[in-house]
Amino acid sequence: MEQGNIIKTGKGKATMLKNGIILVETDDNLVLEVEDAKEFTSAVEKLAKGNKCLLITNPGKNTTAGPEVRKYAASEEANRHIRARAIITQSFAQELMANFFLRFNAQIIPTKLFHHREKAIKWLLGLSDKKPQVSLQKSKK
């Protein structure tokens, strides 16, 4: 169900924030399946209007995802409209799972873990200001 800048899915919602970042929030106490992840991907694509976006993923309390979901989340299909992803963890278990996701699923976009939404937003918005850097230091021989 779509409501302006919010798209509700069967397991949560995706919201376009005022700063242009898309926030995906899942409900609590879930084990996400690949179909759920695909539904979130579709919602992000609609909110981004086909453009690349900055994304915050905020899983609900006690929500997890199995290996097939983690594999899909790292895929080209799932990331075709995402420039960078911040993952907010709310528990030690989620942090372990997110670290596992980062280490064992090759990331094709910049992805970083956070405990606080404000820090995630600051990091994502900082990425949009970055330009390729050229080193002016001479190398030591």
Side-chain angles (χ1 to χ4, degrees):
M1 176 192 341
E2 294 184 44
Q3 295 178 339
N5 290 335
I6 300 172
I7 298 176
K8 293 186 178 183
T9 69
K11 302 284 175 86
K13 65 183 177 180
T15 306
M16 174 66 79
L17 303 177
K18 289 179 182 178
N19 57 20
I21 294 172
I22 295 176
L23 172 65
V24 169
E25 298 173 287
T26 65
D27 296 334
D28 295 339
N29 305 309
L30 297 175
V31 177
L32 295 173
E33 304 292 334
V34 173
E35 291 309 313
D36 304 321
K38 288 183 177 185
E39 190 176 8
F40 281 115
T41 298
S42 177
V44 168
E45 183 176 351
K46 286 177 185 173
L47 288 172
K49 297 180 181 166
N51 298 311
K52 293 268 188 180
C53 69
L54 301 172
L55 180 76
I56 295 175
T57 303
N58 189 6
K61 292 179 184 175
N62 303 314
T63 293
T64 62
E68 290 303 313
V69 176
R70 293 191 301 267
K71 181 179 176 182
Y72 174 77
S75 72
E76 182 69 37
E77 177 185 347
N79 291 287
R80 67 180 174 256
H81 295 289
I82 303 171
R83 281 190 50 223
R85 175 192 300 116
I87 301 171
I88 298 175
T89 59
Q90 299 183 39
S91 68
F92 182 66
Q94 283 182 344
E95 189 169 345
L96 283 175
M97 181 164 300
N99 274 313
F100 189 84
F101 167 69
L102 292 176
R103 286 196 171 88
F104 295 102
N105 298 96
Q107 301 300 306
I108 58 175
I109 58 169
T111 303
K112 192 171 177 181
L113 303 181
F114 295 90
H115 294 284
H116 304 284
R117 184 189 297 187
E118 296 77 24
K119 290 182 180 182
I121 289 171
K122 184 177 179 179
W123 177 72
L124 287 168
L125 292 177
L127 290 175
S128 63
D129 294 337
K130 299 253 190 248
K131 295 183 177 137
Q133 295 180 350
V134 178
S135 176
L136 299 177
Q137 292 181 321
K138 293 181 181 178
S139 61
K140 295 181 181 179
K141 293 187 179 185

